[in-house]
Amino acid sequence: MALSTKPARPVSPNLPQPEPVFEGPPAAAGSAWRTALKQAVRDPAELCRLLELPATLLPAARRAAQQFGLFVPRAFLARMRKADLADPLLRQVLPLDDELRAAPGFTADPVGDAPAERAPGLLQKYSSRALLITTGACAVHCRYCFRRHYPYSAAPHSLAEWLPALDAIAADPTIDEVILSGGDPLTVVDDVLEPLVRRLEAIPHLRTLRIHTRLPIFIPERVCDSLLAWFSAAGSRLTPICVVHANHAAELDDDVAAACDRLRRAGVVLLNQAVLLRGVNDSVAALDELSRRLVALGVMPYYLHQLDRVAGAAHFEVPEAAGLRLVAALRERLPGYAVPRYVREQSGAPYKVPLID
Ligand SMILES: *Cc1c(COP(=O)(O)O)cnc(C)c1O
Ligand code: SF4
């Protein structure tokens, strides 16, 4: 289905896929992360058992998981408190009946991805940078995901299918940064990513390679030697930037710290984007601690996103007025570099729109 003919679909069957779409070499040393992906929890009953949650949750969790599957790596589960439905990490991944309730203004493509497609899998909304939908697979299914209805199955799945996107980038000297996004680009094996990156390096006007990923948080083993080899400042002609996505300080355990340390030592600039989420991080204390923990890990807070109004996520929304009060309070407590930019994505706007000066 072509993205440019956006259908009005309340719910799409084209969900991010729980498995990487690329088959790499057989699992071996260095592929611990692929094992972690394979062993992720997908069954709501198993989630309830492991976290000692009441089985009364199950019918609703199963209904919501039919629309957008449950998918959560075990290492992330281990950071959650048991028997606590209010756990801020659990809330990000637990399917709830709330998702099935229609809410006015919440749609399948809230950020206008469809009209921004320049070539299959290549989105450009802003000047000088373009975003490559590298895969539909993720290391986790975030219940509030703004791409939960994106037609991933129509996106390219191999180097050959990326050629039109690569040609479009090569033909446009105004683009100097490519963002690998998805889905999560680091669910793709290095044997596929490296040749893609080599092609990008060969485009003379490109300067920066940015990756948007949650893997260093959810499966820190992904920051392995073979990844660093092609992504490091030394290994790549392009300046490497990695934008991770953590919403709560409890996500950032010692393994995540070690992964961030490896990236930093390889010369990768680290930034974080978070989404303001009701019941997860909508308090001054939670946002303050998130920023402090990120800075301790050498990760600069970049964006705090107002929730994109995607169908199924209305129960996560924090009103903008409340968000403004939170960010104002952060400013009184934190150094300027630790206060993320509070922004909203507005369809058709030439940048992510700041909600506070
Ligand atoms: C968010 C986004 C970017 C990145 O925006 P920055 O402000 O550069 O971080 C780029 N392209 C698309 C399509 C996006 O949605
Ligand atoms: S928010 Fe990111 S990591 Fe989470 S499901 Fe969406 S694309 Fe995947």
Side-chain angles (χ1 to χ4, degrees):
M1 190 188 325
L3 268 177
S4 47
T5 54
K6 185 179 76 172
R9 285 168 302 142
V11 175
S12 159
N14 298 313
L15 304 169
Q17 299 148 24
E19 287 283 354
V21 284
F22 299 104
E23 275 312 311
S31 62
W33 66 272
R34 293 176 65 206
T35 307
L37 262 186
K38 286 204 180 80
Q39 292 175 345
V41 174
R42 302 152 197 246
D43 174 6
E46 190 179 10
L47 181 80
C48 285
R49 190 170 48 73
L50 291 170
L51 289 176
E52 298 168 12
L53 296 171
T56 46
L57 282 175
L58 275 178
R62 288 209 172 99
R63 274 194 298 277
Q66 271 169 13
Q67 305 280 344
F68 183 44
L70 167 77
F71 195 84
V72 53
R74 284 166 202 270
F76 196 69
L77 277 188
R79 296 173 213 158
M80 296 176 191
R81 295 188 296 261
K82 290 207 166 137
D84 183 359
L85 270 173
D87 182 89
L89 279 52
L90 176 65
R91 290 186 60 87
Q92 296 179 50
V93 299
L94 179 68
L96 294 176
D97 251 351
D98 289 339
E99 297 172 28
L100 304 175
R101 244 169 257 137
F106 286 74
T107 62
D109 178 15
V111 298
D113 275 349
E117 192 180 42
R118 287 194 49 170
L122 186 71
L123 304 182
Q124 187 176 16
K125 293 184 187 170
Y126 310 139
S127 93
S128 83
R129 53 230 196 263
L131 188 149
L132 199 57
I133 301 285
T134 320
T135 172
C138 284
V140 57
H141 285 182
C142 313
R143 307 314 299 177
Y144 54 86
C145 178
F146 71 102
R147 293 215 173 101
R148 56 182 282 162
H149 308 294
Y150 187 88
Y152 283 111
S153 56
H157 287 123
S158 68
L159 202 53
E161 287 175 338
W162 280 324
L163 287 179
L166 291 168
D167 287 345
I169 297 165
D172 184 348
T174 68
I175 296 177
D176 68 9
E177 175 173 16
V178 169
I179 302 167
L180 303 185
S181 182
D184 197 310
L186 294 189
T187 57
V188 178
V189 295
D190 292 319
D191 285 358
V192 173
L193 285 177
E194 182 172 5
L196 172 66
V197 168
R198 296 287 172 240
R199 300 262 182 153
L200 292 169
E201 285 172 348
I203 300 174
H205 50 262
L206 289 185
R207 297 169 187 231
T208 307
L209 175 66
R210 192 194 321 181
I211 295 184
H212 283 183
T213 178
R214 290 201 92 175
L215 261 294
I217 313 290
F218 279 80
I219 304 183
E221 305 96 300
R222 179 64 182 97
V223 184
C224 56
D225 291 342
S226 68
L227 166 71
L228 293 172
W230 60 260
F231 191 37
S232 74
S236 167
R237 184 186 71 73
L238 305 167
T239 300
I241 300 182
C242 182
V243 184
V244 297
H245 171 178
N247 297 313
H248 193 280
E251 294 170 38
L252 304 170
D253 70 0
D254 290 346
D255 293 337
V256 176
C260 292
D261 191 52
R262 285 164 63 73
L263 284 162
R264 274 195 309 133
R265 284 171 194 272
V268 177
V269 173
L270 288 174
L271 305 172
N272 182 65
Q273 51 184 343
V275 181
L276 183 57
L277 297 168
R278 185 143 69 99
V280 174
N281 58 12
D282 59 335
S283 71
V284 178
L287 291 172
D288 177 299
E289 185 53 26
L290 173 63
S291 273
R292 288 180 200 278
R293 180 76 179 136
L294 285 167
V295 170
L297 269 50
V299 184
M300 288 297 122
Y302 179 38
Y303 281 143
L304 176 66
H305 293 274
Q306 178 65 12
L307 182 79
D308 294 314
R309 306 190 93 192
V310 67
H315 55 293
F316 282 113
E317 188 169 54
V318 178
E320 253 174 55
L324 290 172
R325 282 194 298 274
L326 289 169
V327 176
L330 284 185
R331 285 191 166 164
E332 294 191 359
R333 301 166 66 126
L334 290 168
Y337 61 76
V339 181
R341 277 158 254 190
Y342 180 37
V343 293
R344 175 164 43 89
E345 178 137 4
Q346 201 173 291
S347 207
Y351 42 77
K352 312 237 186 265
V353 178
L355 292 170
I356 184 168
D357 289 333

